[in-house]
Amino acid sequence: MPRFDPLEPFADQKLRKEIVHELERFGYKLYGPIPIRFHRGEPTQYEFDLNLGIVHFTEEDFKGLSQIFDSINRKWGTQMTFCIYPSKERARDMILNVRGSPKAPSEID
């Protein structure tokens, strides 16, 4: 069995399933849980994007998402972070980018 690499966390199926499950059951203040829809394909060993649709985020939402990441990072010894950006493909859709590692590629345009 391959050794777990905290800089390639999503290569581990168990960790990937855990974070996706937590994000799938997270209740946004105004919407409740939002079904998982991967954006730009399946997760790589470094990152993945979720299309949340049209969402208005509250401070409570950001705190709750941060708690999920803090908890999993402590448990697994990872450095996962998240950011949110607008979709270029579908006007008004918001994308949740889950970065599992500083090795994830940067895309700025």
Side-chain angles (χ1 to χ4, degrees):
M1 181 160 117
R3 185 173 109 15
F4 176 72
D5 182 350
L7 295 179
E8 295 183 359
F10 305 128
D12 186 290
Q13 293 289 333
K14 188 175 177 186
L15 175 93
R16 183 170 41 185
K17 285 180 183 178
E18 183 175 338
I19 186 67
V20 169
H21 175 72
E22 290 298 319
L23 294 171
E24 185 173 41
R25 58 187 283 265
F26 178 69
Y28 292 85
K29 183 174 182 178
L30 302 176
Y31 308 95
I34 295 175
I36 294 296
R37 290 187 314 172
F38 288 106
H39 180 72
R40 298 189 312 167
E42 292 293 315
T44 69
Q45 68 263 35
Y46 304 119
E47 71 175 339
F48 62 89
D49 293 328
L50 298 176
N51 186 324
L52 301 176
I54 299 172
V55 176
H56 295 86
F57 296 95
T58 67
E59 181 180 5
E60 187 177 307
D61 294 331
F62 288 114
K63 286 179 181 178
L65 289 169
S66 291
Q67 288 172 345
I68 289 171
F69 284 85
D70 288 346
S71 173
I72 292 177
N73 282 334
R74 273 193 313 277
K75 177 180 177 181
W76 286 84
T78 52
Q79 301 175 35
M80 287 188 286
T81 61
F82 71 93
C83 70
I84 296 170
Y85 66 92
S87 172
K88 293 181 202 171
E89 293 82 17
R90 296 192 54 180
R92 299 182 63 206
D93 278 8
M94 298 303 290
I95 309 300
L96 174 68
N97 173 253
V98 177
R99 294 180 64 84
S101 170
K103 289 182 173 183
S106 296
E107 294 182 32
I108 300 174
D109 52 19

